[in-house]
């Protein structure tokens, strides 16, 4: 049976992105590949395996369950968990699986030591400093006090220390956070606490501030092929490995003046072919994150976009790609389907492949992923027990 929708991940694009990043690190800083949120939608286990085969030896995820899933899949490299561990059972699980944990407060330290008291192995920890994001982390005094307690006890090995930026668009604030972080680092060094791996940079800092790499960089977005617009001191040639694909399940000609979809929000200006695609908001199509606008300018941009979308200015409609050409999605996207307008005379039929624009991290996890290596036949991909042979020659 033909699958009606699937995700294609281009292995060579992932490798390319990794090489592009590594080329700027040399032996200066270690790469911590951030593969949280299912590797930004690319499939954490397969991406981790692929990155390991290509020399990555350090990963990071947000939560314990993400790290455990990677261990279960046989990923033996170091894995740093960003968020605090909140129960004793979880600490035991984490220690058993040799995970690297983040200490965000004195409470975290205390719980690790309480549980760890019965253990003989070290627990590798990284200290988290809050320099302005307001999520997790300690200030200078708390960090000093935690380090004193850690030093008293052989159990915890303080391998690293880090902080996370709050505002990638504001250089002055990035600098301020960096200075504040270095104050803490220097203070701890003065007190003779040795913490070998200091890290600050995420993707946007990586591009803009080579002077802030320190001993390691935490990179997610760039690995997944997204490069912010604009010029940067470090410029990478990235490739997007991700394609969301489906097939047309119906094509019919609809007369000029016909309405399309629920609430009849779209009226055809020309007689056209209307294709049905079996992908809807349930799959992540046309799903937006409804955060408060970042500022007045951001709000204006959002409003202009909505207005142009309402007026059916085609550059602002959501387009799918069929045989290399863009065609607009019309009407409201359904739960599991969407309508596409294709001019008369264009040769399309049921079964034709369609590429859709989706937000990778909002796509349903149930959709199969195919790992393909273009130009190489017989690549095997694996997703939750289903295996595919992909032949692109
Ligand atoms: C997500 C995350 C990163 C990676 O950020 P990118 O901008 O995607 O590279 C780094 N550090 C922390 C703490 C994160 O949560």
């Amino acid at each position: 049976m033909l699958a009606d929708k699937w995700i294609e991940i281009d292995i060579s694009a992932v490798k390319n992105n990794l090489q592009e990043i590594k080329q700027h690190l040399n032996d200066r800083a270690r790469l911590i590949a951030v593969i949280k949120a299912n590797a930004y939608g690319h499939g954490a286990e397969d991406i981790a395996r692929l990155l390991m085969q290509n020399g990555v030896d350090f990963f990071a995820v947000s939560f314990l369950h993400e790290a455990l899933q990677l261990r279960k899949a046989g990923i033996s490299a170091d894995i740093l968990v960003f968020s605090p561990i909140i129960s004793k059972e979880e600490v035991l699980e984490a220690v058993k699986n040799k995970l690297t944990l983040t200490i965000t407060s004195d409470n975290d330290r205390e719980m690790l030591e309480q549980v760890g008291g019965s253990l003989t192995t070290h627990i590798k920890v990284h200290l988290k400093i809050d320099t302005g994001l307001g999520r997790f982390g300690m200030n200078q005094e708390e960090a000093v006090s935690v380090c004193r307690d850690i030093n008293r006890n052989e159990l915890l090995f303080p391998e690293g220390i880090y902080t996370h930026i709050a505002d990638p668009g504001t250089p002055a604030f990035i600098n301020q956070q960096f200075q504040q972080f270095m104050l803490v680092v220097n203070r701890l060094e003065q007190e003779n606490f040795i913490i070998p791996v200091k890290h600050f940079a995420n993707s946007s800092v990586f591009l803009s501030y080579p002077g802030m790499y320190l001993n390691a960089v935490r990179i997610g977005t760039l690995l997944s092929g997204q490069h912010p617009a604009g010029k940067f001191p470090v410029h990478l040639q990235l490739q997007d490995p991700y394609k969301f694909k489906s097939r047309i399940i119906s094509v019919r000609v609809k007369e000029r003046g016909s309405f399309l979809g629920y609430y009849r929000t779209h009226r055809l200006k020309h007689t056209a072919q209307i294709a049905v695609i079996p992908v809807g908001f349930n799959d992540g199509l046309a799903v937006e994150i409804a955060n408060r606008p970042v500022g007045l300018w951001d709000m204006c941009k959002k409003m202009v976009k909505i207005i142009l979308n309402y007026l059916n200015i085609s550059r602002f409609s959501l387009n799918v790609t069929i045989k290399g050409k863009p065609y607009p999605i019309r009407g409201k996207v359904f739960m599991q389907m969407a309508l596409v307008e294709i001019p008369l005379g264009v040769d399309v039929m049921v079964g034709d492949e369609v590429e859709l624009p989706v937000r990778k991290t909002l796509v349903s996890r149930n959709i199969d992923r195919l790992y393909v290596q273009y130009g190489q036949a017989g690549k095997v991909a694996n997703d939750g027990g289903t295996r595919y042979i992909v032949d692109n020659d």
Side-chain angles (χ1 to χ4, degrees), residues 353-366:
E353 219 174 86
V354 181
E355 198 187 320
L356 293 107
V358 289
R359 241 180 203 272
K360 299 173 189 178
T361 48
L362 298 182
V363 165
S364 155
R365 290 212 182 184
N366 300 328

Side-chain angles (χ1 to χ4, degrees), residues 265-317:
T265 58
H266 188 82
R267 188 168 197 186
L268 279 179
K269 289 195 186 108
H270 311 278
T271 299
Q273 307 181 82
I274 300 302
V276 182
I277 319 292
V279 180
F281 61 79
N282 183 51
D283 305 295
L285 181 64
V287 176
E288 281 288 335
I289 298 169
N291 268 337
R292 181 167 180 260
V294 174
L296 214 54
W297 175 236
D298 188 42
M299 185 179 72
C300 293
K301 279 199 300 195
K302 283 193 162 123
M303 284 167 61
V304 168
K305 239 172 150 173
I306 290 171
I307 292 166
L308 293 173
N309 191 357
Y310 177 75
L311 296 174
N312 267 321
I313 310 287
S314 61
R315 219 162 70 75
F316 294 88
S317 57

Side-chain angles (χ1 to χ4, degrees), residues 56-326:
V56 173
D57 58 2
F58 201 169
F59 295 100
V61 291
S62 295
F63 304 113
L64 176 65
H65 66 85
E66 297 179 296
L68 293 177
Q69 187 197 345
L70 291 170
R71 281 285 185 260
K72 235 188 223 155
I75 305 302
S76 56
D78 285 338
I79 305 176
L80 171 65
V81 179
F82 289 144
S83 61
I85 306 294
I86 62 168
S87 76
K88 293 183 177 167
E89 293 72 27
E90 288 184 336
V91 174
L92 281 173
E93 245 346 85
V95 174
K96 214 167 61 192
N97 283 280
K98 296 195 164 46
L99 300 175
T100 305
L101 302 179
T102 295
I103 291 190
T104 69
S105 69
D106 193 51
N107 278 342
D108 294 356
R109 177 202 57 79
E110 212 180 313
M111 182 151 61
L112 287 181
E113 287 183 355
Q114 276 174 11
V115 179
S118 56
L119 304 166
T120 46
T121 46
H122 281 307
I123 306 175
K124 271 198 233 170
V125 294
H126 285 218
L127 306 185
K128 179 71 181 286
I129 309 302
D130 184 9
T131 55
L133 184 59
R135 193 165 66 180
F136 314 120
M138 300 172 278
N139 62 26
Q140 178 166 313
E141 289 317 312
E142 290 169 317
V144 170
S145 139
V146 159
C147 278
R148 285 192 184 124
D149 287 329
I150 286 178
N151 248 24
R152 247 177 247 132
N153 192 324
E154 292 285 282
L155 177 75
L156 303 180
F157 168 55
E159 179 191 56
I161 182 165
Y162 69 107
T163 188
H164 193 36
I165 65 152
D167 189 353
T170 309
F173 196 70
I174 292 174
N175 273 302
Q176 187 185 318
Q177 284 192 281
F178 187 72
Q179 300 310 331
Q180 201 179 326
F181 179 62
M182 292 315 289
L183 277 180
V184 179
V185 165
N186 292 336
R187 168 82 187 279
L188 294 175
E189 266 168 15
Q190 277 160 19
E191 303 234 357
N192 285 323
F193 299 123
I194 298 152
I195 306 179
V197 189
K198 305 158 189 82
H199 46 114
F200 179 81
N202 69 339
S203 288
S204 62
V205 173
F206 180 89
L207 294 179
S208 302
Y209 303 93
M212 296 182 183
Y213 290 1
L214 302 175
N215 309 111
V217 296
R218 305 183 305 274
I219 306 290
T221 302
L222 295 174
L223 277 171
S224 65
Q226 255 169 282
H227 200 298
K231 267 241 156 262
F232 296 90
V234 171
H235 198 90
L236 308 179
Q237 300 295 325
L238 299 181
Q239 296 165 7
D240 187 351
Y242 189 101
K243 287 197 171 87
F244 190 107
K245 290 189 173 175
S246 181
R247 293 182 203 282
I248 296 174
I249 58 168
S250 159
V251 189
R252 292 195 313 145
V253 172
K254 299 295 289 179
E255 296 301 319
R256 167 171 186 252
S258 313
F259 285 101
L260 299 178
Y262 287 143
Y263 301 104
R264 304 182 303 144
T265 58
H266 188 82
R267 188 168 197 186
L268 279 179
K269 289 195 186 108
H270 311 278
T271 299
Q273 307 181 82
I274 300 302
V276 182
I277 319 292
V279 180
F281 61 79
N282 183 51
D283 305 295
L285 181 64
V287 176
E288 281 288 335
I289 298 169
N291 268 337
R292 181 167 180 260
V294 174
L296 214 54
W297 175 236
D298 188 42
M299 185 179 72
C300 293
K301 279 199 300 195
K302 283 193 162 123
M303 284 167 61
V304 168
K305 239 172 150 173
I306 290 171
I307 292 166
L308 293 173
N309 191 357
Y310 177 75
L311 296 174
N312 267 321
I313 310 287
S314 61
R315 219 162 70 75
F316 294 88
S317 57
L318 209 50
N319 288 325
V320 304
T321 306
I322 302 169
K323 292 178 188 153
K325 291 223 171 70

